[in-house]
Amino acid sequence: MPLSASSPKILATVCADMQAVVNKCAATFPLVMVVDQGNRTAEQEMALWLASHNIDGTENGEPWRTGCNGYPKGAVAPNGAIGTGVSRHQGGKAVDIVVQKNGKIIWAGTDPVYLQLAEAMKKAAAELNIPLTCGRDFPPPSKPDFDHFEITES
């Protein structure tokens, strides 16, 4: 199935290796893949982090979005928050991909389609000899991130 109509513009913001993996996967994946997020600035990362965290770093009760606020661990961000880390989205080494089934996006990370997507992305990356980590495989204390894929640092 193809990528969604909005995906190429977002995919163009990430590195060539990630583009190659996503395009290879999309060529054989049975459902429409929607690249929801690509490259982000530190400010965009902070805004996403603040959607689920208070400025002091505690969770605010909203659905979890990201554990990285865009600034190096321990550094003080312009808004006074203490840095929790720089995301692989910053610099274009990560994408978030959701799946469209019967014309609707599946947001539930527990849906089996996301395991299928993770396996297909891993297979495409292996065939291209590109190291890839799936967010669903993040070890604790990180939270699993079902729609996140990143080029692994070598």
Side-chain angles (χ1 to χ4, degrees):
M1 279 283 196
L3 291 172
S4 70
S6 61
S7 292
K9 183 177 179 182
I10 298 168
L11 193 57
T13 69
V14 299
C15 70
D17 281 352
M18 182 58 80
Q19 291 178 36
V21 171
V22 172
N23 284 320
K24 184 167 185 63
C25 181
T28 59
F29 195 69
L31 299 170
V32 175
M33 293 168 49
V34 180
V35 181
D36 186 51
Q37 294 279 314
N39 189 53
R40 293 195 286 250
T41 65
E43 293 78 16
Q44 290 168 323
E45 196 69 38
M46 178 62 78
L48 192 60
W49 182 78
L50 285 171
S52 59
H53 293 83
N54 297 309
I55 197 81
D56 66 0
T58 57
E59 293 186 18
N60 65 12
E62 293 298 318
W64 182 85
R65 304 294 173 114
T66 182
C68 294
N69 65 12
Y71 293 87
K73 288 182 181 179
V76 179
N79 64 1
I82 302 302
T84 61
V86 176
S87 169
R88 299 290 287 156
H89 282 280
Q90 295 168 250
K93 301 283 188 179
V95 292
D96 292 343
I97 299 173
V98 292
V99 176
Q100 193 175 27
K101 188 175 185 181
N102 299 325
K104 295 184 180 190
I105 291 181
I106 301 167
W107 291 107
T110 55
D111 191 291
V113 74
Y114 284 103
L115 178 57
Q116 185 181 1
L117 176 62
E119 294 305 317
M121 285 288 287
K122 289 176 186 178
K123 181 176 187 259
E127 289 174 0
L128 293 168
N129 200 30
I130 296 172
L132 182 84
T133 298
C134 298
R136 70 181 300 116
D137 299 331
F138 286 164
S142 296
K143 293 186 178 188
D145 195 352
F146 71 92
D147 65 346
H148 179 88
F149 302 91
E150 63 183 47
I151 300 296
T152 306
E153 293 202 56
S154 44

